[in-house]
Each structure stands twice: as structure tokens, then as C-alpha cells.
Amino acid sequence: MNYFILKYSLIPTYMEERGKYREEHLKLAKDYADRGLLVLGGALADPTDEAILVFKTESEKEVAEFARQDPYVQNGLIAKSEIRQWNVVIGNCFEQ
């Protein structure tokens, strides 16, 4: 298994707009978490201009599919997204 980071650059009005799509977004995230694919996720604070989601999966295809289905992406709350493989070296919350 590999780790991937999905990084979202958020639009300036993200905090005001997200409520409309939050339930759908969290439902999708929970589905991926329940399947063991999404490990962590959340927006950065002060300023809330980016969000990071960490996935554990065989390939980035599943990460790209998450982004494609994400209501935040579909409704323009995400200005830009990027998927990067993450080579985890150490951490007691990750199995190697």
C-alpha cells in the first residue's frame, strides 16, 4: 500500500459556502474512511486556505476518483487540487 496526499487550495469564500455541500462531502469521506482508503482529512487553520486529505491505497486512481466525486470540487469550492505520493518513514499511527 502507498500513501497519497490530496491537497486542495480553497476559494476565499470556502468557509461561507461549504455548509451547502458539507453533509455530502462528509458522507463521501466517511465511505472512503470505512473502506480503509482515507486515513485523515481536514482544512488548515489561520488562514483556512488549504485542506489536506491522506489516503492509503494501491494507486492514486482512487484518490483522483474521490476528488472527482467530491461535492466541494463539483461546486467550485476548490480552486486547485494536487495529488502527491507520500513516502512515510516513521509514525506510530501508520502501519509500515
Side-chain angles (χ1 to χ4, degrees), residues 66-79:
F66 176 93
R68 189 190 68 72
Q69 294 179 55
D70 191 343
Y72 289 172
V73 173
Q74 294 175 348
N75 291 284
L77 277 66
I78 308 305

Side-chain angles (χ1 to χ4, degrees), residues 12-81:
T13 57
Y14 166 81
M15 292 300 289
E16 295 82 19
E17 298 290 325
R18 75 177 181 164
K20 297 180 234 179
Y21 313 106
R22 188 165 172 77
E23 188 176 326
E24 292 175 71
H25 168 78
L26 292 176
K27 183 179 177 196
L28 177 66
K30 184 173 179 353
D31 175 56
Y32 272 68
D34 288 348
R35 294 183 350 206
L37 301 173
L38 178 59
V39 179
L40 298 167
L44 301 177
D46 299 322
T48 305
D49 60 347
E50 293 183 320
I52 306 280
L53 296 98
V54 178
F55 293 82
K56 184 178 180 184
T57 181
E58 288 296 327
S59 81
E60 72 179 69
K61 288 179 186 177
E62 289 170 301
V63 181
E65 182 61 19
F66 176 93
R68 189 190 68 72
Q69 294 179 55
D70 191 343
Y72 289 172
V73 173
Q74 294 175 348
N75 291 284
L77 277 66
I78 308 305
K80 183 176 98 172
S81 65

